[in-house]
Amino acid sequence: SPRQSPWSPPPTMLRAVVAASCIAGCAAFTASPALFTTSAAPRATSAISGMRMQAKSKAIPFLSQPENLDGSMAGDVGFDPFGFSYFFDVKWMREAELKHGRICMLAATGCLVQEVVHLPGPAFSQKVALNAWASAPRGGMISILAAIGLIELISNRFALTATDMFANPNRVPGDLGFDPLSLGTNPANKARFELSEVTHGRAAMMGFSGMVHQMIVSKQAPIEQLMHFKAVDSTVFKLGGAAGNLGY
């Protein structure tokens, strides 16, 4: 008898398999649902929205660009690895970033200046900023804290939370109208200084944090350690109670 040929699938089955393969290949390039969502509304499935969601973050190239960070703010490079922009108002977080950056720029400068410049009296003679904080009169520190809190309340018109701070849509994060040198009259200069402020503020937050930890570990002021470096005693600084052994 003639030898039978191997079984071959019907043409309709082949077409179905090819179509399924094409669909699976296309699905690999579509945007996946966001990890955090702020509403239950269905997302757009058009090709344009899918391409937008697939854009990569400039700060972290292997992560997708956060949807709420569109690059319109100075210094916005899509850095949001914990997804805070999905839960909180971006304007409110920018306000916090600018405010902490400004405080840390002053704090970092203060750590360096007070090492060589002091008010008269033994209570203000400490070179290490952490020791100076502890030796300063309590009444003076409380007065400074109360004055800062009052300025904060008045400048924000007592609207400090994420729900009411930007009730006015025209309010710009960090803009308190303070420009005594008229540096922001030119739009190009204003954009350049806004980027400089947020960049230097971020560096100051990291720098001030480093100064604090350096003073805890070495018990030296920043300039003193640069001029007269002292290695950390391994018998004192060790895991499990290091801060307590150092006296902080």
Side-chain angles (χ1 to χ4, degrees):
S1 62
R3 187 176 181 179
Q4 295 182 351
S5 61
W7 176 85
S8 59
T12 54
M13 181 179 292
L14 288 175
R15 286 194 292 268
V17 171
V18 171
S21 301
C22 293
I23 295 174
C26 294
F29 294 93
T30 58
S32 60
L35 181 59
F36 303 105
T37 57
T38 56
S39 65
R43 297 183 176 274
T45 58
S46 65
I48 296 178
S49 64
M51 292 174 62
R52 185 183 301 115
M53 293 176 65
Q54 285 298 308
K56 296 299 181 182
S57 167
K58 293 181 180 179
I60 312 176
F62 55 85
L63 294 181
S64 298
Q65 175 79 12
E67 296 179 17
N68 296 325
L69 300 181
D70 56 3
S72 58
M73 292 184 176
D76 179 8
V77 291
F79 182 80
D80 186 19
F82 296 107
F84 290 140
S85 61
Y86 291 96
F87 295 100
F88 303 102
D89 186 358
V90 175
K91 289 185 177 180
W92 188 67
M93 291 190 291
R94 171 47 62 94
E95 177 86 14
E97 181 182 32
L98 288 173
K99 190 159 295 182
H100 285 81
R102 292 165 180 172
I103 292 172
C104 285
M105 283 189 280
L106 292 172
T109 304
C111 284
L112 300 176
V113 171
Q114 67 88 37
E115 190 174 345
V116 294
V117 179
H118 309 283
L119 294 174
F124 305 101
S125 61
Q126 296 287 344
K127 288 187 175 182
V128 179
L130 296 181
N131 296 337
W133 164 268
S135 64
R138 293 298 92 189
M141 302 304 297
I142 294 175
S143 300
I144 293 174
L145 182 62
I148 293 174
L150 185 61
I151 294 173
E152 180 78 2
L153 289 172
I154 294 175
S155 63
N156 288 285
R157 294 178 174 83
F158 298 89
L160 300 177
T161 67
T163 57
D164 58 6
M165 181 175 285
F166 292 95
N168 180 7
N170 296 324
R171 189 188 187 288
V172 179
D175 186 0
L176 302 177
F178 181 78
D179 188 14
L181 300 179
S182 300
L183 300 176
T185 55
N186 185 302
N189 287 339
K190 183 178 180 180
R192 181 166 62 90
F193 284 120
E194 286 179 348
L195 178 60
S196 297
E197 181 184 34
V198 69
T199 302
H200 286 83
R202 291 167 179 172
M205 286 188 278
M206 297 295 293
F208 177 67
S209 300
M211 290 181 185
V212 170
H213 287 82
Q214 168 262 327
M215 288 185 284
I216 292 176
V217 172
S218 68
K219 293 196 173 181
Q220 288 182 289
I223 298 177
E224 180 186 359
Q225 191 184 43
L226 288 174
M227 302 299 295
H228 308 285
F229 176 76
K230 182 178 66 175
V232 177
D233 188 353
S234 60
T235 62
V236 176
F237 186 75
K238 56 185 178 180
L239 294 177
N245 292 333
L246 288 170
Y248 293 102

